[in-house]
Amino acid sequence: MTSCLRPSRRNLLGALGIGLPLAAACRTSAAPITVTDVLGRKVAVELPVRRVLLGEARQIHAIAALDRDNPFARIVGWGEDFEKADPDSYRIYVERYPQAAALPKFGSAAAGSFDIEKAISLQPDVLILNFEAERASAEMQLVEKLASVGVAVLYVDFRHAPLRYTEPSLRVLGQLFGREDVAERLIAFRADQIARVTSPIAAMPDLKRPLVMLDRIPGYSDGCCMSFGKENFGLMVEMAGGRNLGSELLPGTFGTINPETIIARDPDVVIVTGGNWDTLAPGGEWVGLGPGADLSVARRKLAALAQRPAFMHGKAVAERRVYAIWHQFYNSPYQFVALQRIARWLHPELFGDLDADETLRELHERFLPIPYRPGYWVELKGDN
């Protein structure tokens, strides 16, 4: 069956002054298949998709594992977030796939800065959005406007509730790219790696759980102290055998804990999230982590952050149980690696043989098209 550009799309593109050759407007395709996204929306899509627009570019972390031969072969545009928020990973992918640097970039749908007209001009089959973009998308009627010109919109989530939604998100992407078998292999690998933490924890109901303060992106700004509630890194801490301070105090996934409260509660462990924010917060005191990071510099900056008033006289600093981990695990299908690293920090006697570095290396070797480069975590005491 040959499917050409719908009249409504032609009219809108014409109104925008966008002319398209006939070859770009038609394609041979199968009948639409219904795909269910993480919001439970059932959307008809012609599969496998050929032209994909990523509402957030960091979704490439998942797509690269599913479409390993060339993850950019079907990408026609993506968000500007990857280059800004995760520049080290961005550079690695651009080195491997130079065409990625030329892809059109978009603002955030969640922030209301997504350019609908520009998106339509690229003729995507589907726009993939993150869970948290739903409200802003509804306000701008993004789904309805794109549906009227034959562009499907599907939601995935690796950040809002990643432990709950990563598997269904991978399955959605597997369907879209015709890589269902790869998605199931990655899901199985992920489940096995999570079980290496949760099974020993479940077998020890009397396990002493240390109180953990998750210090979210300190040094990115001057304020103190952003943290995580019951989801995302907060849930990872609980699964790894700890008690997350933010789970007790914050109603949502993200929030701020008063420094006086941190001093009063005196957490046993402090875990900082860090990354390379040279573009977003140049010259900041953030802990630079990520592929290829200089861990000696990261450790020095972690030591400086440990001397802030909320932490400097606390138990965690005195016992040197202060750690930093790559912030982007919070928005990635690879969060099981962070879970393993946190578990070993919290319970070294129980997880002394659990090597998160080897897990991440195996993930790269089995699923990803780029080489593994260490640099994802650092410890105050100087040994990783």
Side-chain angles (χ1 to χ4, degrees):
M1 178 174 67
T2 299
S3 173
C4 293
L5 199 62
R6 295 182 182 182
S8 57
R9 187 189 292 191
R10 284 189 183 281
N11 293 340
L12 182 52
L13 290 173
L16 296 175
I18 300 168
L20 295 170
L22 182 61
C26 299
R27 75 176 200 174
T28 300
S29 62
I33 301 296
T34 298
V35 176
T36 304
D37 68 12
V38 298
L39 297 180
R41 299 168 58 253
K42 297 185 182 299
V43 182
V45 188
E46 294 178 0
L47 300 179
V49 292
R50 302 186 186 185
R51 299 179 63 81
V52 178
L53 182 56
L54 302 182
E56 182 170 290
R58 280 171 288 182
Q59 293 163 352
I60 200 67
H61 283 303
I63 290 168
L66 301 177
D67 210 9
R68 182 176 183 174
D69 290 341
N70 187 353
F72 294 96
R74 294 182 254 191
I75 308 302
V76 297
W78 57 351
E80 60 190 8
D81 58 283
F82 195 30
E83 184 176 12
K84 292 181 177 181
D86 189 5
D88 297 323
S89 298
Y90 175 83
R91 280 193 291 270
I92 292 171
Y93 274 101
V94 168
E95 287 173 6
R96 177 71 176 81
Y97 303 99
Q99 69 269 31
L103 287 173
K105 294 184 176 67
F106 286 79
S108 167
S113 58
F114 184 82
D115 189 332
I116 298 177
E117 295 180 356
K118 180 179 176 182
I120 292 171
S121 74
L122 296 175
Q123 288 190 271
D125 301 316
V126 62
L127 166 64
I128 302 172
L129 291 177
N130 278 9
F131 181 100
E132 64 268 19
E134 181 193 16
R135 179 177 297 181
S137 299
E139 291 174 355
M140 70 174 82
Q141 297 185 309
L142 177 60
V143 174
E144 293 81 3
K145 290 176 181 177
L146 292 180
S148 72
V149 293
V151 180
V153 176
L154 290 162
Y155 290 89
V156 298
D157 178 49
F158 300 107
R159 176 166 52 216
H160 176 75
L163 276 301
R164 187 191 324 162
Y165 289 135
T166 290
E167 286 191 11
S169 295
L170 290 173
R171 288 194 170 100
V172 167
L173 295 175
Q175 282 185 279
L176 293 179
F177 285 83
R179 296 289 192 271
E180 293 96 331
D181 57 336
V182 182
E184 292 303 325
R185 290 201 300 273
L186 178 56
I187 287 168
F189 177 73
R190 174 180 178 272
D192 288 343
Q193 298 303 325
I194 290 174
R196 295 177 70 189
V197 172
T198 56
S199 293
I201 295 292
M204 300 186 67
D206 297 326
L207 182 70
K208 183 178 179 182
R209 293 173 171 262
L211 182 64
V212 180
M213 170 61 195
L214 284 164
D215 194 7
R216 181 172 177 247
I217 60 173
Y220 185 90
S221 63
D222 295 332
C224 182
C225 299
M226 292 190 291
S227 193
F228 295 84
K230 294 181 180 180
E231 266 296 348
N232 205 290
F233 268 110
L235 181 55
M236 292 184 220
V237 164
E238 301 285 343
M239 293 173 66
R243 292 183 295 126
N244 174 42
L245 181 59
S247 297
E248 302 175 17
L249 303 174
L250 303 176
T253 302
F254 310 107
T256 300
I257 299 177
N258 189 290
E260 288 74 21
T261 300
I262 298 170
I263 294 171
R265 295 298 302 274
D266 195 15
D268 301 293
V269 176
V270 173
I271 299 177
V272 164
T273 68
N276 180 352
W277 291 298
D278 266 332
T279 300
L280 296 173
E285 296 305 312
W286 35 265
V287 179
L289 295 173
D294 186 332
L295 294 183
S296 63
V297 174
R299 184 176 294 112
R300 186 166 63 248
K301 295 178 84 170
L302 178 61
L305 289 171
Q307 293 305 306
R308 288 172 296 159
F311 303 98
M312 61 185 302
H313 299 301
K315 185 188 310 178
V317 173
E319 298 179 1
R320 302 185 71 77
R321 297 190 73 185
V322 179
Y323 312 101
I325 196 161
W326 189 47
H327 181 70
Q328 297 304 328
F329 280 127
Y330 95 125
N331 188 29
S332 159
Y334 317 151
Q335 74 281 132
F336 57 88
V337 178
L339 174 65
Q340 290 187 357
R341 183 63 265 187
I342 292 170
R344 184 164 172 172
W345 282 332
L346 301 188
H347 299 286
E349 73 292 341
L350 186 60
F351 295 107
D353 295 330
L354 183 57
D355 191 339
D357 186 76
E358 285 304 311
T359 298
L360 189 51
R361 188 183 304 277
E362 183 179 357
L363 173 72
H364 279 72
E365 291 173 354
R366 289 181 57 181
F367 293 99
L368 294 174
I370 56 174
Y372 174 57
R373 304 181 188 183
Y376 292 88
W377 44 77
V378 69
E379 302 182 2
L380 182 62
K381 62 185 178 182
D383 298 318
N384 289 320

